[in-house]
Amino acid sequence: MSTEAEIRQENIDKQLAEAGWSRGQGNLVTEAFLSGTNKQIRERSSDDSYLAEAENSRAFADYVLLGKDGKPLAVLEAKSDSRSPLEGERQAIEYAERISQQTGKLPFIFLSNGDETYFIDKGRYPARRVNGFFTSEDLERLELLRQYSQ
């Protein structure tokens, strides 16, 4: 059994890179700080000094996948390989709702333990198992379908 950090580094990061997501390309944020206020999503700093004012409502999404416009397309909650990815569903939904409050757009949700990955389009479809992470183009296409189906 591996820890969540090991799963992220050894499995999830590689799977994300295969789908075109990386910090180097600027479309992936890890340990993204989320608050219940109108503050923007930020990379977690090493000293956490900026967190004092939001101590009660702080949260860190494991990953946030960004679209071409720099706005979040999806959140990803990672779990260790000894746990079901579905254990992170409530947490990931909360993160997606916080992002929606900040940006006006509800991001899609991925749950993964490195072996199993689930995708959620909140309000439209429940969690369903998928073979891997979607590309930016895939998520932007799904976002258009979501927008024009309403």
Side-chain angles (χ1 to χ4, degrees):
M1 287 187 278
S2 302
T3 66
E4 181 182 318
E6 292 168 338
I7 291 300
R8 289 174 58 180
Q9 185 176 23
E10 296 168 11
N11 295 64
I12 294 174
D13 289 352
K14 290 177 185 173
Q15 293 170 19
L16 285 167
E18 289 172 6
W21 303 101
S22 73
R23 292 175 69 179
Q25 291 184 48
N27 63 4
L28 177 69
V29 178
T30 57
E31 293 280 319
F33 171 65
L34 308 173
S35 76
T37 67
N38 288 329
K39 293 183 175 143
Q40 294 300 307
I41 294 166
R42 304 186 267 188
E43 199 97 19
R44 183 177 190 170
S45 69
S46 58
D47 66 356
D48 286 342
S49 60
Y50 63 88
L51 296 176
E53 77 278 1
E55 190 70 33
N56 294 331
S57 64
R58 73 181 187 177
F60 292 94
D62 292 326
Y63 298 88
V64 176
L65 312 180
L66 305 175
K68 291 179 182 124
D69 61 2
K71 291 189 178 179
L73 277 175
V75 295
L76 164 57
E77 180 60 28
K79 295 296 174 197
S80 70
D81 61 356
S82 64
R83 297 175 66 189
S84 167
L86 293 172
E87 290 179 34
E89 184 172 357
R90 176 183 278 162
Q91 189 177 3
I93 287 172
E94 179 186 324
Y95 295 161
E97 289 171 348
R98 286 181 184 216
I99 289 170
S100 178
Q101 290 172 357
Q102 293 174 6
T103 67
K105 285 178 22 176
L106 182 65
F108 298 104
I109 299 167
F110 287 100
L111 309 168
S112 183
N113 65 4
D115 294 324
E116 295 179 311
T117 300
Y118 289 83
F119 176 76
I120 301 171
D121 184 352
K122 186 178 177 298
R124 293 190 69 191
Y125 305 106
R128 67 179 191 255
R129 192 165 175 189
V130 293
N131 288 327
F133 299 109
F134 301 165
T135 66
S136 174
E137 293 79 17
D138 293 335
L139 290 177
E140 288 177 356
R141 195 173 309 113
L142 286 172
E143 189 174 59
L144 283 173
L145 290 170
R146 177 199 274 172
Q147 180 181 348
Y148 290 109
S149 71
Q150 295 177 355

